[in-house]
């Protein structure tokens, strides 16, 4: 009898964040996220990319404040707090800053 196959799938990130999807997945794995958590966070990143596009914003305009705005929109639309990961989004923002896509935070 063979072992059951995983139902965890890969995520196809399209839109403005697509060029960074593999690097984001690798970063999540480096941080010890499980395969399922990586998929969920990649889906969230895809939603952020679509949200940025709908707002007429580029990836370079992502910031902590925009992450908070995105989270607020998600929660207001009925998504539960467990479906929104600020740490995952901040990990994405950190990666984009390291890549020089987003300017460093102003302190």
């Amino acid at each position: 009898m063979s072992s059951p196959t995983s139902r965890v799938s890969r995520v196809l990130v399209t839109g403005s964040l697509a060029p960074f999807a593999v690097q984001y997945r690798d970063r999540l794995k480096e941080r010890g996220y499980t395969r399922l958590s990586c998929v969920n966070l990649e889906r969230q990143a895809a939603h952020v990319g679509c949200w940025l596009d709908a707002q007429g914003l580029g990836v370079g305009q992502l910031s902590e404040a925009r992450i908070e705005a995105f989270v607020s929109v998600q929660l207001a639309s009925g998504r539960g707090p467990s479906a929104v990961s600020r740490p995952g989004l901040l990990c994405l923002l950190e990666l984009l800053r390291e890549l020089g896509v987003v300017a460093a935070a102003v302190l």
Side-chain angles (χ1 to χ4, degrees):
M1 181 177 222
S2 64
S3 61
T5 57
S6 172
R7 298 184 114 179
V8 176
S9 63
R10 289 237 163 181
V11 176
L12 176 61
V13 178
T14 60
S16 56
L17 287 172
F20 312 102
V22 172
Q23 291 164 302
Y24 181 51
R25 180 182 314 125
D26 291 344
R27 176 64 55 94
L28 293 171
K29 288 178 185 177
E30 288 169 10
R31 291 193 174 186
Y33 284 92
T34 66
R35 189 170 174 204
L36 178 59
S37 292
C38 287
V39 166
N40 290 333
L41 292 171
E42 289 173 73
R43 285 185 183 132
Q44 181 176 250
H47 289 295
V48 168
C50 291
W51 179 79
L52 286 171
D53 294 344
Q55 300 297 310
L57 301 169
V59 175
Q61 294 171 290
L62 189 62
S63 65
E64 286 86 353
R66 291 226 163 83
I67 286 173
E68 287 305 317
F70 172 79
V71 168
S72 294
V73 168
Q74 294 299 299
L75 294 175
S77 71
R79 292 183 62 100
S82 63
V84 182
S85 171
R86 281 181 183 89
L89 294 173
L90 292 173
C91 176
L92 175 62
L93 181 60
E94 179 184 296
L95 172 66
L96 294 172
R97 283 186 171 142
E98 289 174 12
L99 295 172
V101 176
V102 173
V106 178
L107 301 176

